[in-house]
Amino acid sequence: MRDVPSQGQAFVADARPGVPAIDIQGVGKTFATDPVGTAPVLGSIDLSIRDNEFVVLLGRSGCGKTTLLNIVAGLEAPTSGQVLVAGRPVTGPGGGKGMVFQQNALFPWLTARANVMFAAENRGLGRGEATLLASDLLRLVGLEGVDAKYPAELSGGMQQRVAIARALALDPAILLMDEPFGALDEITRNEMQDELLRVWQARQKTVLFVTHSIWEALMLADRVVVLASRPGRIVLEQEISALRPRSRSSLPLVALHEAIWEALRER
Amino acid sequence: MTGAVDRHAGTIGVVAFVLIWELAARLVWRDPGVLPAPTQALAEAWTVLTWDVLLGHVGISLFRILAGFSIAAVLGMALGLACGWFRGLSLALRPLVELLRPIPPLAWIPIAIVWFGLGEPSKIFVIALGAFFPIFTNAYRGITMVSPVLFRAARTMDVDGLRLLWRVAVPAAMPDMATGLRVGFGLSFGILVAAELIAAERGMGHLIMEARQLGHLGVSIFGILLIGVVSMLADHQLGAAIRRTVGRWARV
Amino acid sequence: MGRRLHHWLPLLVPTLVFVVLLGSWEWAVAQGWLRRLLFPPPTKLFASAVELARDGVPLGKTLLDHLLITIARIFGGFAAAVALAIPLGLVIGASPFLDRMMAPIVGFCRSVATLSLLPLALVWFGIGEASKIFLIGYGCFWVMLSNVIAAMRLVDPVLLRAARTMDTKPLRTFTHVVLPAALPRIAAGARIALGVGFMVIVGAEMIGTTMGLGALIMEARTFYRTDVTMVGMVTIGLLGLAISLSLSQLERRLMPWMPAHSGAGP
Ligand SMILES: Nc1ncnc2c1ncn2[C@@H]1O[C@H](COP(=O)(O)OP(=O)(O)O)[C@@H](O)[C@H]1O
Ligand SMILES: [Mg+2]
């Protein structure tokens, strides 16, 4: 194992016992362009996420999942309430919060390795170190021999693997993922879920993962949080204790699927 | 307040531009023979030109453009579509077009004069030639890029042969053709002026050139702005027409 | 056999068409169906090209002299326009307010027919080189400027968001994200601008000079040398083609991540 800089150098101060990794406190959001009188995109969301917890936000399109994730990322400001990360209010993006986007957000002019290096260099690593780290991370996400390829030369699944490697290169304590596998076919998607769990177990992170697929939530989450829209609100929180790897045919999960489906259908 | 400034940013820009020009001309250059202020140019045009004369110049210029552009539009679209549909024709014709394309349209002026004389046909020829290439290329590209799925769908509905061309391929190529028409139209204005600068007794290009020889630089500037305005308005009309038709189902 | 023919057809047919066309042109002139003065036949054009390249007609300047002058003028105006338009466009494009403020002016100045400025150029810069470079520069500048502004405005916002989530410093975001993301459109703008330069040069050289391909093309007419005009046209067409091809090469080098460009001429 090469000397890969790890948790100790993360931007976010090491976890303090009792302080949640992410604490969403009464977050509401209304867009300036919303017509007066419409319900806010986000009502008042309260959600507390433990260190190294894998939380999945689930809801139908347009219910405000991306908006909430962007607020946690610091890409957007809430209209009311606040988000604390490791006990400190979020004022902007970065600072140990890695993000993987739904669309391909790789820099098309950089090779796979250079994309990952971009993130590594941003936190002060030299070229040599960044190159080594990038190669290691690409291998970690299951990519071999594509270091010198441009994003356009990679399949959708490979692109998202690079995006995950790039987010990991920041060595963030928190990983925010906005429907990262939404554009993939189901087979690739299932593979990517397994890979993600493997990576998550190898590099302990707090993950906030957005999806609109109930099965994806069930396969991945320590806890599923179901959102309903206008106003965006939490209608169900469900801990999932089943051991991983999980099977879709396990009866408890099938029962949970039914329960979540009911929660989503209400309204 | 900030909102109002933001909304009228374009107006502010234009007013600032005119003001700076006016002040620079009156306070810095102070020589209307070199740089007339906008107000001076307008005043000079007002005294030198009459409405009849002005409308005559604009009218003949527009006639030349419309004539040349129409020829180019008909020929360009017809040949472009035909080349895209019939592979054999494309093999024979496209290399010729690609050979002629790099020759700037203005370089045809002397030839046009030799072939067609100094009258209207030579100017219309040069304008048509310049507008032809973008129209042709876009029509060709449009029809060759039509998604094969559309053709397959049409075939399952028993649409075939020329009907397939007319009912599926041509409409599907329309957004690209619209782009070609717009580019070609813009080009024809640029070419017109050149053609009129060199050999014409009337027209906006001639007006500009003649005014300078008579020492009315203000009238020249007026003419330059006039061509800009007319070309902008005409382009606007064409754009609106395209948005009203093709634009209702495609992004153009 | 069938496959081999299929492979050669795209080369064979155009060559055949070309040969047949030139042949019938030659033949029609020989038969007296086309007038020699109006349609100098291919053999005559070839002879004139050789004459022009060696001795220079009608004024003793060879084809190369004209060619070099024209190239110098185009590049002078083009380079000046690009050097001005890129920084200005980057600044305007970086600010939505500036963009909206400048949009009508840029749009209008683009609409102004460049060659209509010829009288102004003559008054301001005389009939020398400066006025030609001014005209070419003007035409290239506004096209370039509007393309640089558009390139900035059309940078994919998700890339900027990604950069922000990676703690990228503002200067690094500009040099490593905004610039490369805008580069393809900037390059496309340069290509269009060069096309405009080619269009303007011929007009600019038609007045007040006897040097340059445009002047050669125009002057030849007063000597009833349609053949020389045609040789000049072919030369400037080849020049345009050569520049367009080398531009494609350059773009490939600068932007290896882009899919191959089809080299359409200016
Ligand atoms: N920048 C914005 N301006 C105005 N409305 C927005 C904006 N972003 C999202 N919305 C609206 O907020 C709602 C939630 O959007 P989003 O968070 O993207 O939903 P999701 O990610 O769950 O599909 C939608 O109705 C959308 O139209
Ligand atoms: Mg979303």
Side-chain angles (χ1 to χ4, degrees), chain A residues 60-67 69-70 102-103 178-179 210 212:
Chain A
R60 63 174 78 219
S61 286
C63 73
K65 305 181 297 291
T66 297
T67 307
L69 203 69
N70 281 342
Q102 173 171 8
Q103 321 90 304
D178 189 2
E179 302 192 30
V210 165
H212 56 228

Side-chain angles (χ1 to χ4, degrees), chain A residues 11 70 74-76 93-95 97 99 101 103 105-109 118-119 121-122 150 166 170, chain C residues 156 158-169 172-173 176-178 180-182 256-258:
Chain A
F11 283 106
N70 281 342
L75 287 167
E76 251 166 72
K97 305 187 293 292
M99 184 142 172
F101 296 81
Q103 321 90 304
L106 296 176
F107 300 128
W109 54 89
F118 182 93
E121 285 167 1
N122 273 3
Y150 287 105
R166 184 172 76 169
L170 295 165
Chain C
D156 187 350
V158 81
L159 299 182
L160 297 177
R161 291 183 150 221
R164 290 177 65 199
T165 65
M166 287 185 276
D167 265 333
T168 319
K169 302 260 181 329
R172 184 164 156 88
T173 301
H176 283 68
V177 181
V178 175
W257 70 91
M258 294 290 283

Side-chain angles (χ1 to χ4, degrees), chain A residues 77-255:
Chain A
T79 318
S80 60
Q82 64 171 350
V83 177
L84 303 183
V85 164
R88 277 188 289 272
V90 168
T91 52
K97 305 187 293 292
M99 184 142 172
V100 179
F101 296 81
Q102 173 171 8
Q103 321 90 304
N104 172 16
L106 296 176
F107 300 128
W109 54 89
L110 297 180
T111 59
R113 192 202 294 128
N115 260 289
V116 181
M117 286 171 66
F118 182 93
E121 285 167 1
N122 273 3
R123 62 181 176 102
L125 263 59
R127 262 202 116 59
E129 278 179 305
T131 313
L132 290 183
L133 176 63
S135 295
D136 282 345
L137 286 174
L138 285 172
R139 208 167 318 125
L140 178 70
V141 297
L143 289 176
E144 296 272 2
V146 303
D147 292 24
K149 285 211 178 353
Y150 287 105
E153 299 169 322
L154 301 176
S155 69
M158 290 164 132
Q159 287 174 356
Q160 285 308 61
R161 285 172 203 256
V162 177
I164 293 170
R166 184 172 76 169
L168 290 175
L170 295 165
D171 197 14
I174 293 171
L175 200 52
L176 305 171
M177 308 183 85
D178 189 2
E179 302 192 30
F181 310 143
L184 307 180
D185 66 272
E186 192 180 351
I187 300 167
T188 312
R189 194 175 178 144
N190 289 346
E191 283 171 9
M192 295 291 291
Q193 289 163 4
D194 293 345
E195 292 278 340
L196 177 62
L197 286 176
R198 198 174 51 70
V199 170
W200 172 66
Q201 277 156 353
R203 305 278 165 100
Q204 285 293 304
K205 307 265 175 224
T206 308
V207 178
L208 182 54
F209 185 107
V210 165
T211 183
H212 56 228
S213 155
I214 301 177
W215 274 117
E216 186 161 71
L218 290 174
M219 300 312 285
L220 293 176
D222 288 329
R223 180 158 48 127
V224 179
V225 176
V226 180
L227 282 187
S229 66
R230 296 276 176 184
R233 62 194 185 279
I234 297 175
V235 291
L236 179 70
E237 276 189 57
Q238 179 66 55
E239 295 274 349
I240 301 177
S241 46
L243 290 177
R244 300 179 181 92
R246 295 169 180 166
S247 152
R248 285 176 188 226
S249 50
S250 99
L251 286 178
L253 287 186
V254 173

Side-chain angles (χ1 to χ4, degrees), chain B residues 24 45 54 62 105 109 155 161 171 208 241:
Chain B
L54 189 61
L62 282 181
I109 289 178
R155 289 231 178 78
I208 291 170

Side-chain angles (χ1 to χ4, degrees), chain C residues 26-49:
Chain C
E26 189 81 41
W27 187 65
V29 174
Q31 294 294 308
W33 295 341
L34 286 176
R35 285 181 51 199
R36 222 185 153 70
L37 208 64
L38 269 57
F39 299 90
T43 46
K44 168 75 181 154
L45 290 184
F46 185 74
S48 307

